[in-house]
Amino acid sequence: MTEWPSVGVVIPTHDRPQQVRAALRSVLTQFYPGDLEVVVVFDRAKPTGDLADAEGGRPVREVKNDRTPGLAGARNTGITALDTDLVAFLDDDDEWLPGKLAAQVAALGTEAELCTAAIEVDYRGKRNARLAQKSTVRHADLLRSRMMMLHSSTFLFRRSALLGGLGLVAEDAPGSQNEDWDMLLRASRRRPIAHVDTPYALVNWAGSHFETRWDTKISSLRWILDRHPEIHGSPEGAARVYGQIACWHAAIGDRKEALRWALRATKANPGEPRAAVAAAAAAGIVGVPAVMAALHRRGRGI
């Protein structure tokens, strides 16, 4: 590329000083010929005032989340604080791998509004690569599957799209969960998503505060179904979501709802494995956390 667009990176954080420094370092050590700046957004926490001294010689700002408390509001605070051509997201417990930014900016080209990349999942020291096996992601792909390898820590947007027709991150997402899938669905409805199928982000799955918030998992999935009713029209995608809701109901001991959603998943797609997991969990044969841990060790999830 002869001219590299300017990039602003939004890192939301709460109270993880060691992790946010590692995340910030992974950005500042990227080789990128264009202008690059970072906004670290402190959500329900006071800025530390010492991150601007991080290595790399790139501008680093600390700001306080002045929008809805939570991840979505913090990301939007960062977006609106920037004046760059592109905006990238990075969670404070994840890290970018070398070459990520330059590869994605090149892949974004002139047509796409969003570019993603594959990831490497770290779960208690065991790492697994998650690939999409494609270079373009379309709306139908994301109706069939959430495509977990399209992690928000790889999102690279045109800022003009975020402030225009695409819109900001949905701050009404329950617990700021599934707002990333909502963004993918909205973006892919407008234009195909460019994807770099090389693991360019290291994603930490251990110890996430989202992991066992079963009620929020249920409400956020129902929120997604309300916002994107076209999911119901995809047998595989609908069954996957119904099966997840069934599993989360089983995790909180709501056997009746677990079986109701499991049946709904099976009707949509008789081969949906989450329905069987939910039924077994509702019967007390297995525990949902144990199933999740076993899947996480393989870089997978329910």
Side-chain angles (χ1 to χ4, degrees):
M1 297 181 66
T2 55
E3 293 186 13
W4 292 82
S6 58
V7 179
V9 184
V10 179
I11 305 178
T13 191
H14 174 60
D15 186 22
R16 293 196 277 206
Q18 184 175 349
Q19 290 97 323
V20 75
R21 282 191 168 274
L24 180 58
R25 189 179 307 115
S26 75
V27 173
L28 297 178
T29 54
Q30 291 278 314
F31 171 75
Y32 185 68
D35 291 337
L36 173 65
E37 63 176 292
V38 184
V39 174
V40 180
V41 184
F42 285 78
D43 179 50
R44 294 162 290 181
K46 184 178 180 180
T48 60
D50 61 357
L51 294 179
D53 298 328
E55 63 183 275
R58 302 279 197 173
V60 178
R61 282 187 286 156
E62 297 180 33
V63 301
K64 190 172 182 178
N65 180 16
D66 59 5
R67 300 175 67 103
T68 306
L71 183 59
R75 284 178 174 155
N76 287 339
T77 293
I79 293 167
T80 55
L82 289 165
D83 189 24
T84 50
D85 299 317
L86 308 179
V87 173
F89 291 167
L90 176 60
D91 291 350
D92 66 352
D93 57 343
D94 298 334
E95 297 176 37
W96 285 356
L97 300 176
K100 184 262 189 197
L101 192 55
Q104 280 194 286
V105 170
L108 188 66
T110 59
E111 298 298 324
E113 293 181 333
L114 168 61
C115 183
T116 57
I119 61 173
E120 190 172 5
V121 175
D122 185 311
Y123 183 72
R124 305 191 188 284
K126 184 173 179 56
R127 295 186 177 183
N128 291 277
R130 292 294 306 272
L131 306 177
Q133 305 294 340
K134 57 182 62 187
S135 59
T136 301
V137 177
R138 302 183 186 278
H139 193 60
D141 299 323
L142 287 158
L143 294 178
R144 285 192 299 270
S145 171
R146 163 60 184 84
M147 300 185 70
M148 290 304 299
M149 72 289 299
L150 309 188
H151 193 276
S152 55
S153 286
T154 74
F155 288 5
L156 177 71
F157 297 95
R158 296 192 191 280
R159 185 170 177 272
S160 59
L162 291 169
L163 299 180
L166 176 56
L168 296 172
V169 182
E171 295 183 27
D172 62 335
S176 281
Q177 288 196 37
N178 283 306
E179 91 297 335
D180 48 356
W181 188 21
D182 169 67
M183 182 64 82
L184 289 167
L185 286 167
R186 285 193 282 138
S188 62
R189 188 184 294 122
R190 288 166 54 85
R191 297 183 187 182
I193 296 171
H195 178 74
V196 179
D197 208 30
T198 300
Y200 274 129
L202 181 62
V203 175
N204 178 27
W205 272 9
S208 170
H209 69 282
F210 290 125
E211 192 169 2
T212 56
R213 292 171 61 184
W214 314 117
D215 287 334
T216 306
K217 286 176 176 289
I218 293 168
S219 59
S220 67
L221 284 174
R222 298 194 71 161
W223 172 83
I224 275 284
L225 292 174
D226 287 342
R227 283 175 68 91
H228 301 278
E230 65 269 30
I231 293 171
H232 295 292
S234 171
E236 289 182 12
R240 184 185 67 84
V241 177
Y242 303 160
Q244 286 180 318
I245 294 174
C247 287
W248 310 147
H249 275 294
I252 62 176
D254 190 343
R255 183 173 181 272
K256 181 179 178 180
E257 282 298 292
L259 293 176
R260 185 173 76 86
W261 281 97
L263 178 60
R264 191 174 180 183
T266 301
K267 287 181 176 179
N269 178 15
E272 175 50 56
R274 295 165 186 83
V277 171
I285 298 172
V286 297
V288 171
V291 174
M292 288 178 65
L295 289 171
H296 285 353
R297 285 191 290 271
R298 297 169 52 202
R300 303 281 170 173
I302 288 180

